[in-house]
Amino acid sequence: MSRDQRRAIAEKLLQAPEQPEASTIDEMRAGFAALMSQYPVPAEHRETPTTLAGRPAVLVEPPRDQRPGTILYFHGGSFSLGSPHTAMALTANLVLRTGIRALSLDYRLTPEHPFPAGIEDGLAAYRSLLEAGDPSSIVFAGDSAGGGLSVTTTLAARDAGLPLPAGIVAFSPGLDHTRSGESMVTKEAADPFFTRESMGKTGELYLAGADPAQPLLAPAVHADLTGFPPILLQVGTNEILLDDSVRLAERAREADVDVILDITADVPHVFQTFTDTLDEAGQALDRAALFIKQRLA
């Protein structure tokens, strides 16, 4: 275990100079894109712009020896920022480690398109994939807000009477807009990215007045996961979203759903992006890739 690497990353993130607060959503999006561009993206994959259910998407493929199946990927960004390109470090790593193609969806963002627009886009994309293939050939994956969408899109699919995907992989997912997890308080000093207050501000944009105490907005608290496919949740101890994953895993257990709660100590939100400086990042991606390959075998 690379304690020195983890300590160095934590110190670097916590000591980073405070950035001026963006005044517009466009400035926030530009800043987020600049931040995510710093994470290493492996060069071997292929990217092709495409569309999926009327939305822009990026097809990400391995260079050769492609295995059957599809990863439907949902990028992070607090439901208001990001794109398939900002999550490419994660998407490409999953594709190269599994040999399975991914379709990364450019779902609609808030404030222009608040809840439930992102879920509607995810469900439409899944319906489109079902027209061309069997649900057993599809896995959902996502990070942060996109990790939350991988769960809530599955809820929406089940409630619509659709067959469910073969599995779900969620990196540091946001699963509770009530912000009621204990880690919202106990991990705030350790989290270099978020505070409960900052998450509340971006969350309000997504809610747009909707009651957060409902399954599609707080699945960790209110969702019945009966019938769900196997779930892999990966999260670090240095993040306020820790208890989102812990409580969803408990709800999965109560519903007799196979679930792996994969917690790594002393790492930040979506630590899997730090493949150039953290051994645990690559190791976690290897575990996620193994999970996907087993689901799509």
Side-chain angles (χ1 to χ4, degrees), residues 115 119 148 151-152 155 158-159 175-177 211-225 248 251:
F115 169 80
I119 298 172
V151 173
T152 54
L155 278 172
R158 187 197 62 189
D159 293 347
L175 299 165
D176 177 20
H177 276 275
D211 180 5
Q214 56 179 294
L216 290 178
L217 286 169
V221 183
H222 294 290
D224 175 4
L225 303 184
L248 191 88
R251 298 194 73 81

Side-chain angles (χ1 to χ4, degrees), residues 71-257:
I71 302 166
L72 179 58
Y73 197 89
F74 301 95
H75 68 82
S78 302
F79 301 98
S80 56
L81 316 172
S83 71
H85 299 290
T86 60
M88 193 53 64
L90 293 169
T91 314
N93 266 300
L94 286 180
V95 167
L96 293 176
R97 281 172 161 80
T98 61
I100 297 165
R101 73 170 191 162
L103 280 162
S104 186
L105 181 66
D106 197 358
Y107 56 87
R108 288 174 293 170
L109 300 176
T110 193
E112 298 91 340
H113 304 284
F115 169 80
I119 298 172
E120 292 172 345
D121 290 347
L123 183 59
Y126 182 50
R127 286 184 186 274
S128 180
L129 290 177
L130 287 177
E131 292 175 0
D134 188 273
S136 65
S137 69
I138 302 167
V139 164
F140 290 174
D143 64 279
S144 195
L149 282 175
S150 70
V151 173
T152 54
T153 299
T154 306
L155 278 172
R158 187 197 62 189
D159 293 347
L162 297 177
L164 298 186
I168 299 168
V169 173
F171 302 127
S172 299
L175 299 165
D176 177 20
H177 276 275
T178 71
R179 311 300 182 203
S180 58
E182 290 185 7
S183 58
M184 283 280 162
V185 176
T186 60
K187 295 297 182 177
E188 190 167 40
D191 194 319
F193 293 117
F194 302 120
T195 64
R196 186 176 187 179
E197 180 182 6
S198 69
M199 294 208 77
K201 290 179 180 178
T202 55
E204 287 176 2
L205 296 177
Y206 182 59
L207 292 173
D211 180 5
Q214 56 179 294
L216 290 178
L217 286 169
V221 183
H222 294 290
D224 175 4
L225 303 184
T226 299
F228 258 50
I231 306 168
L232 172 63
L233 302 163
Q234 289 189 344
V235 65
T237 61
N238 289 2
E239 52 179 313
I240 62 176
L241 289 179
L242 171 61
D243 280 347
D244 286 30
S245 290
V246 171
R247 290 176 297 157
L248 191 88
E250 178 64 16
R251 298 194 73 81
R253 186 194 64 79
E254 292 172 352
D256 288 329
V257 171

Side-chain angles (χ1 to χ4, degrees), residues 40-46 63 92 96:
V41 177
E44 298 88 353
H45 71 289
R46 300 196 306 266
L96 293 176

